[in-house]
Amino acid sequence: METRTGIDTVSAEQAHHEPSEAYRSKSRVSSKADYERLYKESIEQPDSFWKREASQLTFRKPWTVTLEQNGPFAKWFTDAELNVTESCLDRHLGTDTENKTAIIWEGEGGANKTLTYRELHEQVTLFAAVLRDQGVTTGDRVAIYMGMVPEVVVAMLACARIGAPHSVIFGGFAADSLRGRINDCGAKVVLTQDAAPRRGKPVKLKQTVDEALQDAPSVEKVVVLQHYGPESECTLLEGRDVDWATAVEAADAKNGAAAVVGAEHPLFILYTSGSTGKPKGVLHTSAGYLVGAHVSTKYVFDIQEDDVYWCTADVGWITGHSYLVYGPLSNGMTCLMYEGAPNHPDWGRFWEIIDKHEVTILYTAPTAIRAFIRAGDEWVNKHDLSSLRLLGTVGEPINPEAWNWYYDKIGKKRCPIVDTWWQTETGSIMMTTLPGACAAKPGSTGLPFFGVAPDVVRSDGTSVADREGGLFILRRPWPSILRTVWGDDERYVRQYFTDVPGNVYVTGDGAHRDADGYFQVIGRIDDVLNVSGHRIGTAEVESSLVGHEAVAEAAAVGRPDDLKGQALVVFATLKPGFAKDDALKATLKAHVGKDIGKFAAPDEIRFADALPKTRSGKIMRRLLKDVAAGRDITGDTSTLEDASVIEQLRHG
Ligand code: PRX
């Protein structure tokens, strides 16, 4: 293996955006020195740090042991006892938060529903009783295959209430993927809904469940929420399927009491793609995950009592778990939940929602931001965004152009941006700049969150110099680290703890660190190319391209090349008014050559109207690699948003 990975050096220092004095004065952590002091305490005195920071949470039995480490396996707060939902719900009863809105739901068609903390508590308690009525007991797995409706939050918390680990499967997955996940975790019950709307059309979730369950022997019951109506063509199978509302009506809240479990009791399994075809069931447990989600939400979003917080992620992904459900609810926040697509009925939808509900914090993904840039500023300008005070991004590196647009056009240069780096496996945010404490640098995720010990290393484990690219690792466990891959400890160790010596967690990303200690994550290591011996981060090429006025979005991949090892192929979408012609291709190649170096100029550029993305908005790079190489598509394309883009890319 090579000793270095990623970009060799970083040339220009990036711009700094210091928080304003007005912002700082209201912040929880309001100076770099305060951040550093807390960070130091979190590393040097983790016992007292986590005790204090978790003190708002409800434990039936407090812990005396903070961390138990056995090689790559970590346990946190081991002797504590709790039920996670008591921190998210019960602890708010009898306080001012009891009648505060917990969830504001915005339907795709514009309908609204709200639930206070008391109402959410009632619904969760009743649904916990429903689960027990269906034979679910502590330790049984429950699969959840639903859209963005308040009931999905009720479902997750009801599982947690009885100690039944949930596995939420994103509603965009097809039957085969759903079946694979249900069978891998051996789910006893599936919770679903008739259909979810997607741009005005029904996504018939229940029908997909029926198909998946043709070969899923562990499943005994399916509880079905009627949400969409007759167009969903949903039928119930006698003996197996149960109507949600009827079951709730029949349930007795007395059976919904919280099951007290140990700190390391499994809370949920969430499947994520690995470097091989089979998805990994990432296991998170109770106390450590809760503490990680709670404390990071509090500090990273610097929450205030009257916030209306909107995380746009789907509950089917980790961001939806940690920053739509467990983090915000354990902090007593008001969370907005939107059911539909960002461009339905038009590209103004996000901005209309912010205006309507006076959203104060927006947490979204760079891919969405780039799509909005492409759609044009007129959609933004129609709405009043003055309620916003903080912006966040997650999921992929954000290119400085998108960062600047987000900062200027959405935050109106008033709102700090937190670029949060983390993973399904990390459970909570690992890297960012705390908004009132530290300057943000566009394109850089920033500094470690409390308890996190990042480094950039060669594959022999030695640290690289500042601005030198390498493997991004985390040197010590943190409370919400995944505990294992469900049913496969060996894969857990191999995947995360073998590439670099020293029992460190290998993130799979490449990064570099600047002289201020800020980390810039380049992307997955497998997205780092080697062209004629030059290391090129695809994210850097993409960032350069979208810095050109013609390009809306770009994805760079490697294609095997006899001469160069790998050739660099770029797929790009253009902004309105630019012609997809050879002259522009030449201009763009020269542009990248000038920006990064001639070695990084793309060998080939292909234009398309859209890039292939999963329904969660991630560009499907493996698919692009196949297209670039002229191969048949090998990977799973079931999450592709629009299958017709593949043909265009082949000929683009
Ligand atoms: O490559 C990193 C990228 O997303 C990966 C994790 O993906 P997932 O498990 O789906 O979780 C996404 C939501 C937490 C990482 O290995 N990534 C995530 N956030 C960032 C990022 N890359 C750069 N900057 C980020 N802020």
Side-chain angles (χ1 to χ4, degrees):
M1 202 174 167
E2 295 285 329
T3 51
R4 286 185 302 171
T5 314
I7 299 292
D8 290 271
T9 54
V10 188
S11 46
E13 277 304 326
Q14 299 144 293
H16 284 50
H17 291 267
E18 290 283 352
S20 67
E21 279 316 312
Y23 193 94
R24 267 189 211 281
S25 64
K26 293 189 192 134
S27 292
R28 210 167 240 99
V29 185
S30 57
S31 70
K32 180 106 188 272
D34 280 355
Y35 156 75
E36 281 168 350
R37 184 180 45 76
L38 280 165
Y39 177 73
K40 190 162 179 272
E41 186 199 353
S42 73
I43 297 294
E44 292 176 1
Q45 294 151 293
D47 295 346
S48 58
F49 178 86
W50 293 113
K51 263 258 137 72
R52 185 186 65 239
E53 295 302 332
S55 62
Q56 283 182 316
L57 298 173
T58 305
F59 285 89
R60 291 285 187 105
K61 182 171 166 241
W63 69 81
T64 60
V65 182
T66 304
L67 169 65
E68 269 182 89
Q69 213 177 335
N70 173 17
F73 296 94
K75 290 179 179 173
W76 282 85
F77 316 129
T78 344
D79 53 342
E81 287 179 6
L82 75 162
N83 181 282
V84 168
T85 67
E86 293 191 331
S87 288
C88 296
L89 302 171
D90 303 61
R91 85 173 184 92
H92 304 306
L93 304 183
T95 74
D96 290 347
T97 311
E98 174 168 337
N99 293 313
K100 182 174 172 176
T101 302
I103 296 175
I104 302 172
W105 179 76
E106 169 88 16
E108 187 180 77
N112 286 136
K113 257 189 233 169
T114 57
L115 283 176
T116 64
Y117 273 90
R118 185 171 38 76
E119 289 164 336
L120 186 61
H121 177 267
E122 272 164 23
Q123 291 203 11
V124 168
T125 307
L126 263 179
F127 205 74
V130 167
L131 291 174
R132 286 194 174 120
D133 292 345
Q134 301 310 317
V136 183
T137 57
T138 304
D140 288 340
R141 274 80 58 208
V142 175
I144 301 179
Y145 184 65
M146 296 176 74
M148 291 288 280
V149 288
E151 289 84 351
V152 74
V153 179
V154 172
M156 291 162 77
L157 292 173
C159 289
R161 192 139 184 106
I162 66 173
H166 57 70
S167 185
V168 184
I169 297 142
F170 173 58
F173 279 115
D176 275 356
S177 311
L178 176 59
R179 183 187 304 122
R181 287 158 173 76
I182 288 173
N183 286 340
D184 189 78
C185 71
K188 186 171 186 179
V189 165
V190 178
L191 310 177
T192 190
Q193 69 192 60
D194 52 356
R198 192 72 184 166
R199 298 191 182 89
K201 301 225 164 58
V203 177
K204 297 176 185 172
L205 297 171
K206 171 61 167 56
Q207 288 190 0
T208 307
V209 168
D210 289 341
E211 207 182 322
L213 294 192
Q214 281 167 14
D215 183 19
S218 60
V219 175
E220 294 172 11
K221 294 281 179 198
V222 180
V223 185
V224 186
L225 176 74
Q226 306 289 346
H227 172 74
Y228 198 93
E231 253 185 279
S232 64
E233 298 175 315
C234 165
T235 52
L236 298 189
L237 185 71
E238 201 155 329
R240 185 196 70 183
D241 297 351
V242 179
D243 174 62
W244 190 295
T246 313
V248 167
E249 229 159 80
D252 182 347
K254 285 200 210 77
N255 294 331
V260 178
V261 297
E264 288 297 333
H265 185 75
L267 179 63
F268 65 85
I269 301 159
L270 185 58
Y271 286 88
T272 182
S273 357
S275 41
T276 61
K278 190 174 180 274
K280 295 177 292 225
V282 167
L283 176 69
H284 284 290
T285 57
S286 300
Y289 173 80
L290 174 67
V291 169
H294 174 80
V295 176
S296 58
T297 301
K298 183 167 68 178
Y299 283 107
V300 177
F301 299 108
D302 199 11
I303 59 175
Q304 294 175 5
E305 185 49 43
D306 53 359
D307 273 324
V308 176
Y309 160 87
W310 183 18
C311 166
T312 67
D314 192 279
V315 278
W317 309 117
I318 190 70
T319 307
H321 284 57
S322 304
Y323 298 109
L324 184 67
V325 181
Y326 292 105
L329 296 178
S330 66
N331 278 289
M333 295 174 80
T334 297
C335 308
L336 192 131
M337 183 177 191
Y338 170 54
E339 184 181 35
N343 59 350
H344 185 81
D346 58 45
W347 284 103
R349 191 59 197 274
F350 266 35
W351 321 123
E352 178 207 333
I353 291 173
I354 290 170
D355 192 349
K356 178 174 171 186
H357 297 288
E358 299 185 21
V359 170
T360 61
I361 305 174
L362 175 66
Y363 189 34
T364 193
T367 187
I369 296 166
R370 289 194 295 266
F372 290 125
I373 297 175
R374 184 166 184 227
D377 293 356
E378 63 271 25
W379 298 109
V380 180
N381 296 339
K382 282 184 198 165
H383 301 282
D384 177 4
L385 305 183
S386 60
S387 56
L388 287 171
R389 64 170 192 84
L390 178 64
L391 305 173
T393 79
V394 59
E396 53 180 318
I398 180 163
N399 50 296
E401 203 220 8
W403 197 101
N404 287 325
W405 184 88
Y406 198 32
Y407 188 73
D408 294 346
K409 297 288 185 306
I410 305 305
K412 317 288 185 203
K413 299 187 176 12
R414 285 184 301 106
C415 307
I417 296 181
V418 287
D419 176 352
T420 61
W421 179 92
W422 58 296
Q423 307 177 303
T424 304
E425 292 88 340
T426 70
S428 59
I429 293 167
M430 298 284 100
M431 305 290 301
T432 193
T433 44
L434 295 186
C438 303
K441 299 187 192 186
S444 171
T445 183
L447 300 164
F449 186 66
F450 304 137
V452 177
D455 200 357
V456 183
V457 300
R458 304 177 185 89
S459 55
D460 64 4
T462 54
S463 302
V464 301
D466 284 350
R467 295 150 68 126
E468 190 183 315
L471 304 165
F472 186 40
I473 61 153
L474 304 175
R475 288 212 174 270
R476 46 195 286 164
W478 57 96
S480 64
I481 185 175
L482 81 159
R483 299 310 199 248
T484 190
V485 172
W486 180 256
D488 199 345
D489 285 352
E490 195 262 329
R491 188 172 178 195
Y492 168 78
V493 176
R494 182 165 28 92
Q495 179 81 39
Y496 303 107
F497 289 91
T498 46
D499 285 353
V500 175
N503 198 35
V504 298
Y505 171 86
V506 180
T507 68
D509 280 359
H512 39 65
R513 178 172 30 198
D514 70 15
D516 297 329
Y518 277 51
F519 287 73
Q520 183 167 6
V521 175
I522 305 299
R524 305 295 304 186
I525 295 298
D526 41 17
D527 293 335
V528 176
L529 309 180
N530 190 329
V531 179
S532 300
H534 294 289
R535 288 160 209 283
I536 303 173
T538 51
E540 297 224 339
V541 176
E542 291 160 8
S543 174
S544 163
L545 278 164
V546 295
H548 187 278
E549 56 171 353
V551 178
E553 195 162 32
V557 297
R559 156 161 63 71
D561 183 274
D562 284 349
L563 196 61
K564 299 176 156 190
Q566 277 187 306
L568 175 56
V569 180
V570 168
F571 296 86
T573 61
L574 299 180
K575 289 186 185 152
F578 290 92
K580 297 178 191 152
D581 56 21
D582 288 348
L584 182 57
K585 289 184 182 176
T587 305
L588 293 176
K589 286 181 190 177
H591 172 81
V592 179
K594 206 165 142 259
D595 236 351
I596 305 178
K598 281 213 172 93
F599 66 91
D603 297 281
E604 195 188 321
I605 295 187
R606 297 191 190 189
F607 295 134
D609 290 337
L611 295 180
K613 291 194 186 144
T614 63
R615 294 195 184 109
S616 69
K618 274 206 196 309
I619 293 174
M620 300 174 85
R621 290 175 180 283
R622 239 194 290 170
L623 187 153
L624 284 176
K625 281 181 198 161
D626 286 341
V627 174
R631 291 189 294 257
D632 289 336
I633 311 287
T634 48
D636 174 16
T637 55
S638 62
T639 54
L640 182 62
E641 261 272 296
D642 176 3
S644 70
V645 301
I646 299 175
E647 272 317 296
Q648 259 195 24
L649 295 166
R650 281 196 196 286
H651 306 293

